[in-house]
Amino acid sequence: EAGVAQSPRYKIIEKRQSVAFWCNPISGHATLYWYQQILGQGPKLLIQFQNNGVVDDSQLPKDRFSAERLKGVDSTLKIQPAKLEDSAVYLCASSLDSYTIYFGEGSWLTVV
Amino acid sequence: AQSVSQHNHHVILSEAASLELGCNYSYGGTVNLFWYVQYPGQHLQLLLKYFSGDPLVKGIKGFEAEFIKSKFSFNLRKPSVQWSDTAEYFCAVMDAAGNKLTFGGGTRVLVKP
């Protein structure tokens, strides 16, 4: 079974630039998550989708972060403009039943 | 809001030693509890989970965890570690509706050969 696919794996940008990350969940998984993992910390949920609707985006900094999941499959997370403190690994995950969550390998962002 | 606290940030031990990692959570309702592991260079993987029933749950690779409701704890244990258990371990809690998986800060475990 193919896992959760993410791209790009690594990205270095300057502050105030924009970046987008893409995620393809496991086929058939209705729930999709984006997490932010800052070095030395546990993952923090940014947004949770159920199909193409948002279930929870309470911790998404909406002034600079946006996410969409058109057609209920792939998802894109965008940061514009990026700040130094956005340097982190952005993890995408998906779930069939919300109780067993599968994570991708992450997209590493460095903002300089 | 739910939160998770992991007591140790770093643990170093020798092969064959026993491992216990502490995890306490804060949440007012029924919870589902998880331990995830992240091996170097790999993605997060589920070690074990507790939803209900027997509070002692067994997971993969010889790991087990005990849910103690009165202490709001879900500690992870392994009787005898191997070098390959070197990884970062995360405790996580989810509400009963299956929403908002919240992670602790993680514990880095280094097993010396």
Side-chain angles (χ1 to χ4, degrees), chain A residues 5 11-14 26 31 39-40 43 65 69-70 72 87 96 105-107 109 111:
Chain A
K11 190 77 175 178
I12 301 174
I13 62 172
E14 295 182 349
I26 294 173
T31 309
L39 188 65
F65 286 65
R69 190 183 185 197
L70 300 176
S87 294
L96 182 63
E105 294 187 335
S107 292
L109 173 66
V111 182

Side-chain angles (χ1 to χ4, degrees), chain A residues 35 37 42 56 58 98-100, chain B residues 34 49 90 94 96 100-101 104:
Chain A
Y35 281 83
Q37 186 175 14
D56 185 345
S58 58
S98 295
Y99 297 104
T100 304
Chain B
F34 304 81
K49 58 188 176 185
F90 294 92
M94 175 191 284
K100 204 157 187 175
L101 183 66

Side-chain angles (χ1 to χ4, degrees), chain B residues 58-111:
Chain B
K58 296 189 183 299
I60 60 172
K61 305 186 181 185
F63 285 90
E64 64 179 30
E66 184 176 12
F67 171 52
I68 302 179
K69 189 175 181 180
S70 60
K71 295 184 177 180
F72 297 89
S73 70
F74 189 56
N75 293 353
L76 180 72
R77 298 194 290 255
K78 185 170 184 178
S80 176
V81 295
Q82 300 173 317
W83 175 79
S84 58
D85 293 321
T86 293
E88 190 160 16
Y89 294 80
F90 294 92
C91 182
V93 61
M94 175 191 284
D95 66 27
N99 294 320
K100 204 157 187 175
L101 183 66
T102 301
F103 286 86
T107 299
R108 290 197 172 187
V109 174
L110 174 63
V111 180

